Amino acid sequence: ELYMQWACTQPVSLHRCSGLAARAALALRWLMTRRGPGATCHFEAGGFIRSRAGVAEPDLQFHFLPAAVNYDGSAAAGGHGFQAHVGPMRPKSRGRLALRSGDPRQAPSILFNYNLAADDIATLRDGVRLTREIVAQPAFDQLRGPAISPAPGSGDDDASIDAFVRQRAESAYHPVG
């Protein structure tokens, strides 16, 4: 999957929980009461859609996060932000898993081969365009600030989106296929 990020114009995102003191307070509140922002994973909004006309069933999955953060924990927005994660549900690319030796202590050889199939790139390209369309809806007008990722001006042509997909697609929770 990949994630697309926007700055948020209102102070309603999880940015308020990003400092060390705020994270400590969040953890303490959760430990004491099992309530507050620490009681959830924050990926509570999502959906399934078809990437394009003619697709028989949804082939894209969305998750929404009320923060603009990178998987390494850094804050992409430098302030309030949000992001939408979009990923293919039935990728055609196939990797491989192989034993390196008969020694069970040696890690296996794993090659994911993400986005090797042209259909997978096309599905994620459509996902980028659909995500932009969703976030451009009037419901986001009071919240949507400038795009963070992909960067503003990065283009909506196939080549620009494909470059973003190849650079930013990652394994989400676990490899599937």
Side-chain angles (χ1 to χ4, degrees):
E1 77 171 18
L2 52 87
Y3 49 94
M4 300 173 63
Q5 302 169 321
W6 286 263
C8 185
T9 60
Q10 303 294 320
V12 295
S13 76
L14 293 175
H15 179 69
R16 69 185 187 282
C17 303
S18 63
L20 186 59
R23 285 187 290 190
L26 179 148
L28 184 61
R29 180 177 179 193
W30 181 80
L31 285 169
M32 303 291 286
T33 68
R34 298 292 194 256
R35 297 191 185 281
T40 177
C41 74
H42 299 284
F43 283 102
E44 294 163 340
F48 302 91
I49 64 171
R50 290 172 180 86
S51 60
R52 55 193 158 296
V55 174
E57 57 195 9
D59 59 345
L60 288 171
Q61 179 176 4
F62 283 96
H63 297 90
F64 179 83
L65 181 66
V69 296
N70 298 315
Y71 280 151
D72 66 4
S74 62
H80 289 278
F82 61 89
Q83 62 195 42
H85 295 231
V86 59
M89 293 176 55
R90 286 175 294 286
K92 293 187 169 92
S93 300
R94 293 293 178 255
R96 67 167 168 74
L97 172 67
L99 297 177
R100 292 182 194 267
S101 76
D103 182 353
R105 294 170 295 196
Q106 189 171 10
S109 170
I110 302 172
L111 178 63
F112 290 106
N113 274 341
Y114 293 129
N115 298 319
L116 189 63
D119 285 354
D120 294 347
I121 294 286
T123 298
L124 279 171
R125 183 187 317 128
D126 292 338
V128 168
R129 289 186 173 124
L130 288 166
T131 304
R132 286 175 170 163
E133 183 179 335
I134 290 167
V135 174
Q137 297 303 306
F140 281 94
D141 285 351
Q142 298 285 329
L143 302 169
R144 181 186 54 253
I148 298 168
S149 176
S154 63
D156 195 40
D157 59 286
D158 288 358
S160 297
I161 294 173
D162 290 358
F164 174 73
V165 167
R166 291 185 196 286
Q167 179 186 34
R168 297 300 297 263
E170 302 180 12
S171 181
Y173 302 107
H174 50 81
V176 297

